[in-house]
Amino acid sequence: MSTVLEQFQSSELNRNPTKVFDAAENAPVLVTRRDGEDFVLMSEREASARRILVELAAELIAVTTDDRGTLVERMSNRFPWMLALKKTDRDRCAKELVEAARASFSTQKAHLVVAELAAWRETASAVAEGLNLNSIEWLDEPLPVEAPLA
């Protein structure tokens, strides 16, 4: 699946760099050249997300090609922070990471799996610190508060 990128001629980059840079902040852009290979211009954030996506793809390929243990066990070996989660949460984490990865790979939107991975890793860190949802006391009724002073 190829994504259609917004295109600019290299002369446009010379004449109006702000326009090209503004576009590249939102999504990668194709800079075409008459006498050379075309370039893709993207933000460092986008390039970093793509590197993370490729690294995660390598990890998931290694997990799926290993035949020792369940998917969750194999993922916990690759992502040891998952071991801080309860078994049911590890199962859910593995499933949601694979789904997010599939969505990212098919849409070429790395942020889908990057955000999912970060959320689960932070959840595991919170659990490891002793925070858990069982100790939260929820209010049955809303508690009125005064409006803040302007």
Side-chain angles (χ1 to χ4, degrees):
M1 171 184 175
S2 65
T3 302
V4 177
L5 302 177
E6 188 171 358
Q7 292 187 27
F8 294 93
Q9 293 179 349
S10 60
S11 58
E12 178 74 14
L13 179 59
N14 290 329
R15 282 193 312 275
N16 193 354
T18 302
K19 179 180 177 183
V20 179
F21 290 151
D22 286 347
E25 283 184 4
N26 296 322
V29 297
L30 181 66
V31 178
T32 59
R33 298 175 6 170
R34 194 174 327 135
D35 297 329
E37 189 173 358
D38 296 343
F39 292 110
V40 175
L41 178 65
M42 67 180 71
S43 67
E44 172 58 28
R45 179 190 72 249
E46 178 73 23
S48 177
R50 288 175 182 232
R51 279 191 299 275
I52 291 168
L53 184 60
V54 169
E55 289 169 9
L56 182 59
E59 294 292 342
L60 290 176
I61 289 169
V63 164
T64 57
T65 57
D66 188 353
D67 59 358
R68 296 166 295 182
T70 66
L71 174 65
V72 174
E73 291 167 344
R74 295 187 314 254
M75 285 187 73
S76 295
N77 286 336
R78 290 287 176 171
F79 307 110
W81 51 263
M82 286 178 64
L83 297 171
L85 301 170
K86 293 184 290 185
K87 175 154 179 20
T88 56
D89 289 337
R90 283 195 302 268
D91 294 341
R92 205 170 111 221
C93 173
K95 180 179 185 283
E96 290 179 7
L97 285 176
V98 169
E99 288 173 353
R102 289 182 66 202
S104 284
F105 300 148
S106 65
T107 62
Q108 297 183 26
K109 302 295 181 195
H111 71 276
L112 299 172
V113 72
V114 169
E116 193 71 31
L117 183 65
W120 276 109
R121 186 180 302 141
E122 290 302 318
T123 299
S125 293
V127 170
E129 289 291 332
L131 303 174
N132 68 44
L133 296 176
N134 296 335
S135 64
I136 296 175
E137 289 184 37
W138 296 98
L139 300 175
D140 293 329
E141 297 293 323
L143 184 64
V145 295
E146 293 181 28
L149 299 174

